[in-house]
Amino acid sequence: MCLFQSVMNYFPEEVLEHVFDFLTSHRDRNAVSLVCKSWYSVEKFSRKKVFIGNCYAVNPERLIARFPRLRSLILKGKPHFADFNLVPHDWGGHVYPWIEAMAKSRINLEELRLKRMVVSDESLKLLAKSFPNFKSLVLVSCEGFTTNGLAAIASNCKFLRELDLQENEVDDRKGHWLSCFPESCTSLVSLNFACLKGEVNAAALERLVARCRNLRSLRLNHALPLEVLQKILVQAPQLNDLGTGSFTHDPNSETFIKLKNAVKNCHSIRSLSGFLDVNGRCLPAVYPICANLTALNLSYAPGIFSNELTKLIRHCKKIERLWILDTIGDKGLGVVANTCKELQELRVFPSDLYGVGNAAVTEEGLVAISAGCPKLNSILYFCQQMTNAALITVAKNCPNFIRFRLCTLNPIVPDAATNQPLDEGFGAIVQSCKGLTRLSVSGQLTDQVFLYIGMYAEQLEMLSIAFAGDSDKGMLYVLNGCKKLKKLEIRDSPFGNMALLSDMGKYETMRSLWMSSCQVTLGACKTLAEKMPRLNVEIISENEGGAGEVEARLDDRDRVEKMYLYRTLVGPRTDAPDFVRTL
Amino acid sequence: MDSDLNLKATELRLGLPGTTDAISPPKNNKRSSPDSDSAPSPPKAQIVGWPPIRSYRKNNLAEAESGSFVKVSMDGAPYLRKIDLKVYNGYLELLEGLEKMFKLTIGEYSEREGYKGSEYAPAYEDKDGDLMLVGDVPWEMFESSCKKLRIMKASDARGLGCAV
């Protein structure tokens, strides 16, 4: 036993706990619990926040046994590709068992943050009733609940500070959930209901806003007209983060003039979003607050023309995070590059979803941004075309990328200038960006790009591959090279059994692997499942319902359409539907 | 209908000449070799999950874009009209509708000379705010980029008529 350790053991547990309080990162706390039994114990009982990246890696009982005093839980459910309709409905990811178990064990839950999970009204009602100190509910890309569940939360959570609904599919029963916040509720700090489709009681909202003096973040939905926004801004000039509902009105009207004045008073707004249904001529109303904006999300506003967009952006010199549609065009991105010198994160989403042929952005816009924005570290870019030369330039200009996601609208488009694969371009990115943790590649790609990724992407944690590669070698380069890989998702690529089975132990160091429309066979998946009992290897069939039949006809030599494997401490899950078979 | 306006010649398509729009998604393995002469056919929106955008975003964007009523102004007329572009299946029907509504004749479109032989020429304001001659681009593209229609006096439309 070293001197340090014996000295540390003289400290009473309270002191250790106090020291551990300064450790906020999960990784640090995990590391600390491995030091010795006493540290493990102190850390265990003092841990308040727990992050579970795959809800099926553990179960509620183990969570509660391990961290009995937890107050804040983050859970993620479905695999990422579920976002793109690759995972059948009803695959799983139900939150109810977690809430039920925590309620039974009288966990003092205060915060719950869920992503891609199925949340029933029943769960929300149980949540609302079971945790008297509950403060914060954040649901991202979830489904399964209605506004009735929200009404239960509003009615019962006396100390609710945060209700943040991001991009959920909610069945809006058009009830009066918002009116369910009692008059005594004054604790709200953050309220985001932008994803709801139905009407809310405007008067109830105005009263709620008036009495919640600590309200900092408010995001309205489409159903609320400009008049309501204007009244709210008068009541809440202290807002930091505003999501407008619809933003369309006669710019000459009295209401609009009142709105302009109300906006001028909102000196604290740093983040702006919404503009669901917008009249471009109303945009000047927000110019007065643009100078201090650090985040701007216009990605749900296809109605703003490119020139109106650029006029707005010219006012936003301090922007750090910008989400827009490709209607901005390469020229518009040039304006961003000249104006937004503090830009760190850029997302350019496609506006033309049906291939009608409207101009998108190209490699030019990306190069301009990389040249003009030295602090850029995160990008999601949907583009019409790309070139290796452009990517090489971008890599030189921006060695600080942490996240680099490029999506060509045609998934196998080659270099627009040379007709070559885009291997060299992405190779330059991984070689230059030594801190890269997340990468999505697209365009025509051979095994070569994966050689580069395996060689250079030392910090890579998440990799998304689609329609790429020539052979098993591609996947092998990645599995062998990327030591920190946690999530690998692959679709429509010619990787097969040899790659899958070459290093089976690797998957226990990762959170999950998704492979769909690849070359892996049922037999190989079975082998993997047999050799690695601490992995769940799920075969997901296309047809819900008819799965049993399809299953019976599958031979070991047949290709598996969708495979999802993940490490787990608790064996095959018990809630798998018919069309999911855990080998 | 399309051939009257000679749209096929100017139609912007990314596929190989002669192929239709119904291009099946590429099956794995065989990539087009980099040496091939033509670009691989673009799968467009037929591939499940491509481009990779959340359904939530897709649904919301689609709704936002579904407004199809556009204002129609005519030079010299005291007030504007509104029409629903979705009602028309192509340029011929649109022009017929406009002719009826404003009681005028618009004349025959040709790529070289615009609308020759009539008093009026139809123009529209597109997403970028530019004034464009009706008929140059494929109907679907026009539908989604047309913000406002303007029936101009042919004498004013001279410049637009010489579209390249």
Side-chain angles (χ1 to χ4, degrees):
Chain A
M1 209 200 304
C2 71
L3 178 65
F4 174 76
Q5 207 164 348
S6 44
V7 166
M8 283 303 289
N9 283 342
Y10 273 119
F11 287 125
E13 294 197 342
E14 293 81 22
V15 175
L16 270 182
E17 193 178 313
H18 182 69
V19 171
F20 292 169
D21 266 352
F22 291 100
L23 297 174
T24 46
S25 120
H26 299 290
R27 286 182 202 193
D28 287 345
R29 298 214 103 187
N30 293 344
V32 144
S33 15
L34 293 174
V35 169
C36 63
K37 284 209 181 113
S38 131
W39 282 32
Y40 175 91
S41 173
V42 173
E43 199 284 317
K44 163 181 171 146
F45 287 105
S46 65
R47 173 97 77 149
K48 302 209 178 48
K49 293 190 187 197
V50 180
F51 168 81
I52 297 177
N54 173 7
C55 64
Y56 291 118
V58 291
N59 62 23
E61 291 69 40
R62 284 189 75 131
L63 167 67
I64 294 167
R66 179 74 178 81
F67 298 116
R69 301 221 187 119
L70 87 115
R71 301 226 188 129
S72 163
L73 178 62
I74 302 177
L75 275 175
K76 294 189 179 181
K78 300 187 200 180
H80 177 231
F81 275 178
D83 279 352
F84 318 131
N85 293 340
L86 290 180
V87 177
H89 199 50
D90 291 342
W91 171 84
H94 301 275
V95 76
Y96 188 84
W98 296 85
I99 296 178
E100 189 184 29
M102 287 189 288
K104 274 210 191 104
S105 301
R106 310 251 190 82
I107 296 286
N108 184 12
L109 193 67
E110 294 180 4
E111 298 175 358
L112 186 61
R113 188 187 172 112
L114 306 175
K115 187 167 186 182
R116 277 191 287 273
M117 293 201 70
V118 178
V119 180
S120 59
D121 278 349
E122 221 191 345
S123 325
L124 291 176
K125 287 175 187 163
L126 185 59
L127 178 69
K129 278 188 331 197
S130 313
F131 307 108
N133 292 321
F134 193 73
K135 295 193 174 63
S136 163
L137 180 64
V138 180
L139 303 178
V140 181
S141 290
C142 297
E143 47 159 358
F145 60 103
T146 77
T147 42
N148 293 340
L150 297 178
I153 298 285
S155 313
N156 297 304
C157 299
K158 294 196 170 62
F159 303 113
L160 195 68
R161 287 206 206 130
E162 180 173 30
L163 179 59
D164 184 359
L165 309 171
Q166 298 176 29
E167 304 196 343
N168 302 290
E169 303 284 356
V170 186
D171 182 1
D172 198 321
R173 297 277 164 86
K174 297 171 177 49
H176 298 283
W177 67 275
L178 197 80
S179 315
C180 292
F181 281 107
E183 290 301 316
S184 55
C185 170
T186 56
S187 49
L188 271 184
V189 172
S190 166
L191 178 62
N192 171 8
F193 57 93
C195 64
L196 296 185
K197 303 288 181 219
E199 312 261 319
V200 292
N201 185 330
L205 177 63
E206 287 163 38
R207 282 197 307 273
L208 181 64
V209 169
R211 64 181 184 270
C212 294
R213 303 316 307 160
N214 291 323
L215 192 69
R216 289 285 174 274
S217 167
L218 179 64
R219 297 189 185 193
L220 310 176
N221 76 348
H222 185 271
L224 286 167
L226 209 77
E227 287 89 352
V228 175
L229 175 63
Q230 180 263 319
K231 288 191 204 150
I232 286 177
L233 289 181
V234 168
Q235 288 289 356
Q238 78 281 7
L239 287 177
N240 287 144
D241 168 31
L242 173 66
T244 71
S246 88
F247 204 77
T248 171
H249 214 275
D250 177 359
N252 298 320
S253 68
E254 170 129 4
T255 304
F256 190 72
I257 295 172
K258 279 200 239 170
L259 174 75
K260 279 205 286 197
N261 292 332
V263 168
K264 277 201 198 121
N265 257 342
C266 296
H267 304 293
S268 305
I269 294 184
R270 296 287 173 270
S271 164
L272 191 57
S273 62
F275 302 98
L276 323 163
D277 190 15
V278 56
N279 176 348
R281 290 176 356 183
C282 293
L283 283 181
V286 302
Y287 288 175
I289 52 170
C290 286
N292 287 323
L293 281 185
T294 56
L296 180 59
N297 182 354
L298 297 171
S299 64
Y300 284 103
I304 307 181
F305 305 162
S306 175
N307 55 338
E308 291 163 342
L309 261 180
T310 48
K311 257 201 282 186
L312 176 68
I313 285 173
R314 280 188 213 278
H315 287 85
C316 303
K317 295 195 164 51
K318 291 206 193 141
I319 282 285
E320 294 171 13
R321 206 171 60 129
L322 179 62
W323 292 21
I324 41 175
L325 290 172
D326 61 7
T327 44
I328 193 171
D330 287 330
K331 271 210 294 232
L333 288 176
V335 173
V336 174
N338 288 334
T339 312
C340 309
K341 297 303 181 186
E342 302 298 315
L343 191 66
Q344 295 176 26
E345 176 182 321
L346 175 66
R347 295 195 191 190
V348 182
F349 293 96
S351 57
D352 174 13
L353 300 172
Y354 304 104
V356 172
N358 292 328
V361 293
T362 71
E363 74 276 9
E364 280 179 33
L366 184 60
V367 170
I369 294 281
S370 74
C373 306
K375 300 191 182 176
L376 192 66
N377 61 39
S378 169
I379 188 151
L380 170 61
Y381 197 75
F382 285 84
C383 56
Q384 182 89 296
Q385 63 185 51
M386 187 48 57
T387 64
N388 285 309
L391 286 173
I392 291 168
T393 305
V394 168
K396 251 197 288 236
N397 291 339
C398 293
N400 297 321
F401 274 122
I402 302 173
R403 284 180 289 274
F404 190 88
R405 293 197 277 162
L406 192 85
C407 180
T408 54
L409 293 175
N410 170 352
I412 52 171
V413 72
D415 180 318
T418 65
N419 230 35
Q420 295 297 301
L422 289 174
D423 300 334
E424 297 307 311
F426 282 107
I429 294 285
V430 291
Q431 198 174 353
S432 165
C433 305
K434 309 236 186 296
L436 196 69
T437 58
R438 183 168 180 183
L439 177 66
S440 300
V441 296
S442 63
Q444 193 186 332
L445 296 166
T446 71
D447 285 344
Q448 185 71 4
V449 71
F450 300 114
L451 174 67
Y452 291 140
I453 293 174
M455 240 162 58
Y456 295 113
E458 290 174 11
Q459 303 300 319
L460 197 66
E461 295 178 8
M462 181 169 178
L463 178 62
S464 306
I465 300 171
F467 302 97
D470 310 304
S471 74
D472 283 331
K473 280 204 282 198
M475 186 168 163
L476 280 173
Y477 291 141
V478 171
L479 291 176
N480 292 335
C482 300
K483 300 297 178 205
K484 299 211 176 162
L485 196 63
K486 299 231 288 274
K487 287 191 284 186
L488 180 58
E489 46 187 26
I490 307 172
R491 63 167 291 185
D492 295 272
S493 301
F495 306 136
N497 299 340
M498 205 261 280
L500 181 71
L501 299 177
S502 66
D503 179 4
M504 295 189 262
K506 171 89 176 167
Y507 305 125
E508 278 189 6
T509 69
M510 291 168 54
R511 186 185 299 171
S512 64
L513 167 67
W514 168 281
M515 291 181 78
S516 60
S517 304
C518 296
Q519 301 290 312
V520 293
T521 66
L522 181 60
C525 295
K526 281 185 183 168
T527 304
L528 181 56
E530 204 185 291
K531 295 246 161 75
M532 307 294 299
R534 289 195 297 192
L535 297 180
N536 277 352
V537 180
E538 293 188 5
I539 307 299
I540 301 169
S541 301
E542 275 304 316
N543 316 306
E544 315 177 21
E549 267 182 59
V550 176
E551 278 307 318
R553 283 189 267 120
L554 261 191
D555 181 274
D556 278 5
R557 288 162 303 174
D558 287 330
R559 283 194 312 114
V560 156
E561 195 46 43
K562 295 178 187 181
M563 180 206 71
Y564 180 53
L565 68 81
Y566 50 89
R567 66 180 174 190
T568 178
L569 296 174
V570 294
R573 55 186 175 111
T574 50
D575 65 354
D578 282 344
F579 54 86
V580 172
R581 178 177 159 197
T582 308
L583 298 175
Chain B
M1 174 162 77
D2 276 354
S3 54
D4 286 345
L5 285 174
N6 197 20
L7 287 172
K8 275 275 190 273
T10 56
E11 193 182 338
L12 291 179
R13 294 165 80 245
L14 293 175
L16 297 171
T19 58
T20 64
D21 275 340
I23 298 162
S24 54
K27 303 293 179 196
N28 333 10
N29 332 72
K30 299 296 174 215
R31 303 278 136 254
S32 304
S33 83
D35 302 308
S36 71
D37 289 341
S38 48
S41 8
K44 287 195 184 170
Q46 275 91 12
I47 295 187
V48 172
W50 199 271
I53 312 172
R54 279 185 188 159
S55 337
Y56 174 87
R57 184 172 283 283
K58 265 197 205 155
N59 296 337
N60 278 274
L61 219 52
E63 276 171 32
E65 286 188 312
S66 67
S68 55
F69 273 90
V70 294
K71 290 184 190 170
V72 191
S73 62
M74 183 168 102
D75 290 359
Y79 51 78
L80 282 63
R81 304 296 304 269
K82 249 200 174 159
I83 57 168
D84 184 353
L85 288 180
K86 281 211 163 43
V87 157
Y88 304 102
N89 287 324
Y91 284 122
L92 262 180
E93 281 184 25
L94 170 67
L95 295 178
E96 271 170 7
L98 289 176
E99 285 180 339
K100 263 198 223 133
M101 190 183 259
F102 291 90
K103 307 208 187 347
L104 42 76
T105 40
I106 289 183
E108 198 118 285
Y109 170 91
S110 81
E111 197 185 290
R112 270 192 59 221
E113 300 182 43
Y115 290 88
K116 206 168 154 215
S118 75
E119 266 197 280
Y120 294 98
Y124 69 100
E125 194 179 299
D126 75 356
K127 276 183 172 169
D128 295 326
D130 297 323
L131 193 61
M132 316 283 297
L133 186 69
V134 169
D136 286 334
V137 301
W139 173 254
E140 293 76 33
M141 196 188 288
F142 165 78
E143 255 195 310
S144 66
S145 56
C146 169
K147 292 297 157 202
K148 234 195 243 182
L149 276 164
R150 179 176 155 198
I151 301 185
M152 300 175 70
K153 283 236 152 61
S155 44
D156 292 333
R158 220 39 104 213
L160 287 180
C162 305
V164 171

